[in-house]
Every structure is written in C-alpha cells, then in structure tokens.
Amino acid sequence: MKDLGRHLRAFLLPAVLMFVLPAIITWVEYQYYDRPILAQSWLLRIAGLLVCAVGLVLLIVTVRLIILIGNGTIMPLGPIA
C-alpha cells in the first residue's frame, strides 16, 4: 500500500499537466478572447478526442512499464532503481 501512494503522488503532476492546465487555458481563451470552448467542426472534435485518447493510453502504458520493469516512479523524487 505504501508503493501505491508513492505512485499516485508521482502521477499527480502529469495528470495536472494533461487535464487541468489545458482546461484553464481553454477557459481563459473563452472568457477573455471570445473563442469557442469546442471546435466548430465535428471532424475536429473527433480528431481531438482521438489524439487525447492515444495520449492517455501512452501515458498509462509508460507509467505501467516504469512501475513494473524499472521499479520506480515517473518523477525524479522516486527514480528508477
């Protein structure tokens, strides 16, 4: 259980960079620059969702490999042993 907490803490920064920061940027652009929150074209929305899905899968696979093979975390505070 101790390792689970260590891995969750190490996953926090990439999660913030992947979800929270883009959401803040989108909100600021919507509020101050009158840009739409979503793309106007359905094709662009689907393409964006596909890119996000591929990125999320790659992040999960990479973290899993580092935990299982490297016996470490993705952050420098818990480096690979």
Side-chain angles (χ1 to χ4, degrees):
M1 204 62 174
K2 179 181 176 185
D3 286 340
L4 179 64
R6 186 177 103 186
H7 293 298
L8 288 176
R9 281 193 311 268
F11 194 72
L12 184 64
L13 182 62
V16 166
L17 292 177
M18 189 171 178
F19 297 110
V20 176
L21 190 60
I24 291 172
I25 291 170
T26 303
W27 180 80
V28 167
E29 285 188 352
Y30 174 72
Q31 291 293 323
Y32 296 108
Y33 301 111
D34 293 329
R35 293 188 180 148
I37 290 181
L38 295 175
Q40 300 298 321
S41 166
W42 281 100
L43 184 63
L44 288 176
R45 290 181 190 179
I46 293 171
L49 286 174
L50 287 174
V51 168
C52 288
V54 168
L56 184 61
V57 168
L58 288 174
L59 177 67
I60 290 170
V61 168
T62 303
V63 170
R64 182 178 176 270
L65 287 173
I66 289 173
I67 290 171
L68 294 178
I69 296 173
N71 295 324
T73 67
I74 58 176
M75 297 298 292
L77 300 176
I80 297 172

